[in-house]
């Protein structure tokens, strides 16, 4: 399920350039009226072995903006999209945001149109463009260093397939009966995206791809996101 927010600020929304963690905290805050959902999403999530998946994703803020003193400032209407296979979470967010609005730091936005959608992928082979970058990585257990894979590495696609298997099993409790495949169609150097998330840097990639697999698997990824760190604002795609 998808939730689209059309936010009309009375005062400018001023955020750091790297604001993903702020959007994530806003979503958790608006879930706090239901402690069971909030605590589960924040602290537990859906587990597979030693991995935990929060099963939601969000877009960048879309709208006209200006940059001033290392801040991104939105003066006019901005749009935010949130997706999740967990419909109860999406409906709760829609209700609380409609009733309480959103706090961007000290800026309270109350004039928000809330739109619920239930779009599903109905094909087994689709062209996609990344709305937020895909991030694929490995962490060295000994020294804690993280390596981010690039789309010209085979491991980039192998890791995406593995991530899908783990994430699907964590949510549904069953192993997918077949694989999904992701093929790059158009990726250029400016599709590389590096951002600071709290105290670390994350590398991801935009671009255009072809994704194939069972329709229900592609629909799951449309709701939950491709690759890693979906709940931090990565892996959302649109169909072409």
């Amino acid at each position: 399920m998808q939730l689209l927010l059309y936010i009309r600020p009375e005062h400018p929304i001023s955020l750091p350039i790297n604001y993903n963690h702020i959007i994530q905290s806003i979503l958790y805050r608006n879930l706090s009226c239901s402690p069971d959902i909030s605590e589960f999403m924040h602290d537990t999530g859906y587990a597979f072995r030693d991995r935990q998946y929060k099963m939601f994703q969000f877009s960048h803020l879309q709208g006209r903006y200006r940059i001033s003193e290392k801040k991104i400032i939105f003066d006019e209407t901005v749009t935010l999209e949130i997706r999740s296979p967990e419909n109860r979470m999406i409906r709760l967010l829609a209700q609380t945001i409609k009733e309480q609005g959103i706090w961007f730091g000290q800026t309270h936005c109350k004039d928000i149109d809330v739109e619920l959608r239930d779009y599903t992928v109905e094909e087994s082979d689709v062209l996609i463009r990344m709305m937020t970058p895909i991030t694929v990585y490995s962490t060295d257990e000994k020294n804690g260093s993280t390596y981010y894979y690039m789309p010209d590495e085979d491991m980039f696609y192998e890791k995406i397939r593995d991530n899908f298997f783990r994430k699907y099993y964590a949510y549904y409790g069953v192993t997918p009966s077949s694989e999904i495949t992701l093929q790059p169609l158009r990726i250029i150097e400016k599709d590389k995206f590096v951002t600071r998330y709290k105290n670390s840097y994350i590398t991801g990639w935009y671009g255009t791809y072809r994704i194939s697999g069972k329709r229900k698997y592609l629909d799951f990824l449309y709701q939950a996101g491709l690759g890693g760190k979906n709940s931090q604002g990565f892996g959302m795609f649109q169909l072409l």
Side-chain angles (χ1 to χ4, degrees):
M1 180 170 273
Q2 307 90 45
L3 171 61
L4 275 75
L5 304 176
Y6 302 92
I7 306 163
R8 289 180 290 272
E10 295 181 13
H11 306 285
I13 300 172
S14 180
L15 300 170
I17 299 295
N18 304 313
Y19 58 77
N20 283 30
H21 66 287
I22 294 176
I23 302 299
Q24 186 188 53
S25 67
I26 286 172
L27 301 185
Y28 283 132
R29 190 180 307 121
N30 278 277
L31 290 172
S32 62
C33 64
S34 178
D36 59 330
I37 295 180
S38 177
E39 291 175 9
F40 176 76
M41 288 293 184
H42 188 276
D43 301 330
T44 306
Y46 296 86
F48 177 79
R49 297 177 181 169
D50 60 340
R51 304 292 180 90
Q52 293 180 342
Y53 303 96
K54 305 303 175 67
M55 296 300 175
F56 70 87
Q57 57 176 329
F58 55 87
S59 69
H60 299 308
L61 293 172
Q62 301 292 323
R64 294 181 61 182
Y65 63 88
R66 53 192 169 90
I67 304 293
S68 177
E69 297 180 351
K70 298 184 179 180
K71 297 283 187 179
I72 183 169
I73 302 169
F74 298 90
D75 297 297
E76 303 175 5
T77 300
V78 292
T79 305
L80 175 66
E81 181 175 357
I82 304 113
R83 297 182 195 165
S84 174
E86 184 52 69
N87 292 352
R88 187 170 63 142
M89 172 195 171
I90 292 293
R91 293 187 184 279
L92 179 61
L93 279 174
Q95 177 185 340
T96 56
I97 290 173
K98 187 174 182 179
E99 294 173 353
Q100 303 174 15
I102 291 176
W103 286 92
F104 291 96
Q106 300 300 313
T107 303
H108 188 202
C109 297
K110 297 181 291 184
D111 187 2
I112 302 174
D113 285 339
V114 174
E115 180 182 348
L116 283 171
R117 293 182 181 175
D118 196 16
Y119 177 82
T120 56
V121 177
E122 297 298 332
E123 299 179 25
S124 59
D125 185 87
V126 293
L127 303 182
I128 64 171
R129 178 180 295 125
M130 299 311 301
M131 298 171 61
T132 60
I134 308 175
T135 184
V136 184
Y137 64 95
S138 291
T139 301
D140 191 305
E141 295 181 359
K142 293 182 179 179
N143 59 28
S145 63
T146 300
Y147 177 80
Y148 288 94
Y149 295 95
M150 298 185 294
D152 60 357
E153 297 177 278
D154 290 341
M155 189 61 71
F156 182 89
Y157 304 96
E158 183 177 329
K159 288 283 186 181
I160 287 176
R161 289 193 295 270
D162 290 346
N163 174 273
F164 158 67
F165 267 82
R166 293 193 303 268
K167 201 154 49 185
Y168 191 89
Y169 186 91
Y171 188 70
Y172 288 108
V174 295
T175 302
S177 60
S178 59
E179 292 187 345
I180 58 105
T181 59
L182 186 72
Q183 299 174 312
L185 296 182
R186 186 176 187 272
I187 304 170
I188 57 179
E189 184 58 33
K190 71 175 184 178
D191 287 328
K192 184 177 181 180
F193 177 85
V194 180
T195 187
R196 185 179 178 90
Y197 186 90
K198 295 183 178 179
N199 295 319
S200 61
Y201 286 93
I202 299 173
T203 300
W205 290 83
Y206 291 99
T208 303
Y209 304 80
R210 177 187 297 275
I211 186 169
S212 305
K214 286 188 175 182
R215 184 211 65 81
K216 63 180 180 180
Y217 298 160
L218 302 192
D219 183 64
F220 172 74
L221 291 170
Y222 182 82
Q223 316 302 336
L226 272 171
K229 300 185 184 295
N230 305 129
S231 66
Q232 295 177 19
F234 293 84
M236 180 180 284
F237 60 86
Q238 63 182 17
L239 274 61
L240 300 180

